[in-house]
Amino acid sequence: MSNRRRFVLKKQNFIKGSIILMVSAAAAKLLGAVFKIPLTNILGGVGMSYFSCAYSLFMPVYALAVTGLSSAVAKLTAESTALGMHRNAAKVRRTALALFSAVGLAGSLLILLLAKPFSAYVIGLPEASAAVAMIAPAVFFGCITAVERGYYEGMSNMYPTAFSQVAEGMVKALAGLLLCGFTAAHPRTVMELFPFVTDIRAAAAAAGILGVTLSTAGAALFFAVMRLFSKAPQGGEAHVMSRRAIARELWATALPVGVSSVVTNLTALIDMWTVIGCISRYGCPSGLPEGVPEAELPQFIYGSFAGIALTVFNLVPSVTNMLGKGALTCIAAARGSGDRCALEHGTSQALLSAALIAVPAAVGLGVLAPEVLSFLFPRQSDEVAVCIGSLRYLMAGMVCLCVSFPLFSMLQAVGKPAAPLKIMLLGTAVKLAGNLLLIPAMGADGAALSTSLCYAVILGLSLRVYIRASEVRISAAPFGKVLYAGAMCGGAALLAAEALRRREAPVMAVLAVSGAVGGAVYIGLVLALIGRAKK
């Protein structure tokens, strides 16, 4: 054995593994905010519409190819290592890499081929085609990264996933902002080099998207380097699964989850089509923002909503999503061993942890929406004005989505991998109907309200299916206490904010003082109500 292979993989339990993933997700999301917020300030509402259109096509293809992959590889690897079949686990990794590299390559080619027709004929923004083309290779690199993350997660080692997420976020922020900033600052140079460019905002959006692609390549490179310096457990079992059997198992788990994720990402496509389409036909109920040409109003409203309101909305769910990764192994093990107490404890632990994080975040963002958005997007006052109400309407949906993420993983663990697909289809139908009914009357606020209704339906149905499948009993009392603490937190923060607003205090002072007051009230009540109940 080479001396360089000196690091042995170490396992973590559910709590430690979840904490590692949540901390890394928070760091990655912070880096994502460092990327997305300045990017929005550079591109503005119309520029962000080009950026968001590229993401709207990319995410369904990426989700189908990648999203269920980590879970599928993790599940098969966990089952192998639990039985001491380390050679089989290594074969799962090799098979998954070969199979899904081909899938990723096909997905990248599909996006590349669809770039121009999708931009020109589906959304009516031909200038967005460059951004769509730039993001195509990310599907290929994402598949490689997903296999590697799933392999280590299946061995209960969350550090590789954590470190790769941070590496990905760093590359995205650095490369994306540098490329986008250079393009926006040197329009003449860019147009001389690329004479086909007609709108520098579209070129800057494509440059920012290229940073996203480079970040996925960086994550794949991280695992390639890690394999040179890591030592995997060795097993001497005589029997290993055939490649065909492994591939069949991977598809059986990954495909339903991937299709479910496609449905999840269809909400972004629905927003793109309905916001641009409805605003084009019915106009904006709040009127035309100053300085925005009427011809650009639909792109401006959609770009503001997707680039500002949805960016802030997605900050917290991406963190609680990591709870699902930790819960999957825990719930699967408890169900497999028939330990009902462990099953109920793991279920309550995962859902309550998500609620404890989501509720105060949603309340705080709702109460302090004007200050939060003004602080994050100081150069985009017109875009911020469009999004304050939208962000508030999104907050109930954010809580529902945060709690739904662990449920989706736990549904896989109890043998219901196809259930999220059916549930998401119903939620997407609610989203589409809500957008068509509400956007003409409420503008972007209608899209936000329909998003919250969509995720409320999804949470209710997911919880019902999971309880029936697992036969667990979940006490509602702790969740009621969390909601009560959140309401008191919001009330305290609102009182503090109103007092400071009357004194015309700076935005930072309002945020700092109101956040501190609300946070202190929330933590105190949670410790008093939930902490005391556990003793």
Side-chain angles (χ1 to χ4, degrees):
M1 180 71 65
S2 172
N3 290 333
R4 69 185 178 187
R5 294 183 178 270
R6 57 187 180 277
F7 300 112
V8 180
L9 303 176
K10 294 183 179 180
K11 294 185 177 183
Q12 300 97 35
N13 58 27
F14 165 70
I15 294 294
K16 185 177 179 181
S18 294
I19 290 173
I20 291 168
L21 290 176
M22 288 176 65
V23 170
S24 70
K29 206 62 186 179
L30 178 62
L31 289 166
V34 168
F35 166 65
K36 197 78 174 283
I37 291 168
L39 187 78
T40 303
N41 286 319
I42 294 170
L43 294 176
V46 176
M48 281 306 296
S49 71
Y50 300 137
F51 185 94
S52 300
C53 285
Y55 253 104
S56 296
L57 175 60
F58 164 72
M59 286 309 297
V61 179
Y62 183 83
L64 181 62
V66 173
T67 306
L69 190 48
S70 288
S71 297
V73 176
K75 181 176 181 290
L76 210 52
T77 302
E79 291 172 351
S80 297
T81 55
L83 299 173
M85 298 171 62
H86 300 299
R87 282 178 56 209
N88 197 69
K91 191 170 183 180
V92 167
R93 179 194 214 175
R94 292 193 302 271
T95 303
L97 279 172
L99 178 62
F100 289 101
S101 292
V103 171
L105 184 60
S108 294
L109 291 173
L110 178 64
I111 291 179
L112 197 60
L113 292 171
L114 289 177
K116 284 190 176 181
F118 175 81
S119 303
Y121 303 117
V122 178
I123 58 176
L125 293 176
E127 298 88 350
S129 61
V132 175
M134 284 295 181
I135 207 169
V139 178
F140 172 71
F141 293 118
C143 282
I144 295 173
T145 303
V147 171
E148 296 285 14
R149 286 174 177 168
Y151 173 73
Y152 290 109
E153 288 166 15
M155 300 178 72
S156 297
N157 181 18
M158 306 302 174
Y159 284 118
T161 294
F163 291 142
S164 68
Q165 286 177 333
V166 174
E168 189 172 350
M170 290 176 66
V171 174
K172 183 194 300 181
L174 288 172
L177 290 178
L178 286 173
L179 291 168
C180 181
F182 178 85
T183 303
H186 301 85
R188 183 174 299 177
T189 303
V190 171
M191 289 187 171
E192 287 176 357
L193 292 172
F194 304 99
F196 56 84
V197 172
T198 57
D199 188 340
I200 195 63
R201 294 170 297 185
I209 284 285
L210 180 57
V212 176
T213 296
L214 292 174
S215 73
T216 61
L221 180 62
F222 169 86
F223 281 106
V225 173
M226 183 177 171
R227 291 185 68 176
L228 298 175
F229 294 93
S230 63
K231 180 182 178 182
Q234 301 296 314
E237 69 273 15
H239 172 73
V240 294
M241 297 172 65
S242 67
R243 288 183 180 274
R244 180 176 294 183
I246 291 172
R248 188 166 54 247
E249 289 282 343
L250 289 171
W251 277 116
T253 303
L255 192 58
V257 179
V259 174
S260 300
S261 297
V262 170
V263 176
T264 303
N265 287 284
L266 286 179
T267 58
L269 283 173
I270 289 171
D271 279 332
M272 180 183 63
W273 285 324
T274 55
V275 172
I276 293 176
C278 289
I279 298 297
S280 297
R281 180 165 183 171
Y282 300 106
C284 182
S286 59
L288 185 67
E290 185 178 349
V292 179
E294 188 172 357
E296 292 185 349
L297 179 63
Q299 296 97 301
F300 176 84
I301 296 295
Y302 169 68
S304 301
F305 177 69
I308 293 178
L310 290 181
T311 294
V312 177
F313 166 79
N314 285 318
L315 289 174
V316 180
S318 63
V319 176
T320 60
N321 187 26
M322 298 300 105
L323 286 168
K325 291 179 176 286
L328 175 64
T329 306
C330 172
I331 298 299
R335 183 172 174 82
S337 64
D339 190 339
R340 189 181 184 83
C341 290
L343 185 62
E344 291 188 353
H345 177 71
T347 297
S348 297
Q349 193 175 54
L351 298 182
L352 188 59
S353 297
L356 283 167
I357 296 169
V359 169
V363 169
L365 288 172
V367 169
L368 302 174
E371 287 78 15
V372 169
L373 296 184
S374 296
F375 171 71
L376 294 177
F377 305 96
R379 295 169 54 186
Q380 309 298 333
S381 56
D382 289 337
E383 288 88 342
V384 164
V386 169
C387 294
I388 290 173
S390 300
L391 183 61
R392 286 173 168 161
Y393 281 117
L394 283 167
M395 289 302 97
M398 190 184 84
V399 175
C400 295
L401 180 59
C402 285
V403 181
S404 296
F405 273 138
L407 272 172
F408 288 164
S409 294
M410 292 189 293
L411 282 167
Q412 292 180 58
V414 297
K416 292 285 184 179
L421 171 59
K422 300 172 185 177
I423 293 168
M424 289 303 303
L425 282 171
L426 289 172
T428 302
V430 171
K431 170 67 177 170
L432 177 59
N435 273 23
L436 294 174
L437 290 171
L438 297 173
I439 292 175
M442 300 174 64
D445 292 354
L449 179 56
S450 69
T451 297
S452 287
L453 294 173
C454 163
Y455 288 123
V457 169
I458 287 168
L459 174 60
L461 292 175
S462 299
L463 194 58
R464 181 181 180 185
V465 173
Y466 178 76
I467 290 173
R468 285 188 172 183
S470 63
E471 299 180 343
V472 299
R473 291 175 295 178
I474 302 174
S475 173
F479 299 94
K481 293 173 182 178
V482 171
L483 291 174
Y484 173 76
M488 294 299 101
C489 159
L494 181 61
L495 290 174
E498 287 297 330
L500 291 167
R501 287 166 184 163
R502 284 196 295 269
R503 291 176 171 82
E504 297 183 352
V507 169
M508 276 300 298
V510 177
L511 285 174
V513 174
S514 303
V517 170
V521 170
Y522 180 76
I523 292 171
L525 285 173
V526 166
L527 291 176
L529 297 174
I530 298 180
R532 184 173 57 191
K534 288 183 177 180
K535 288 182 179 179

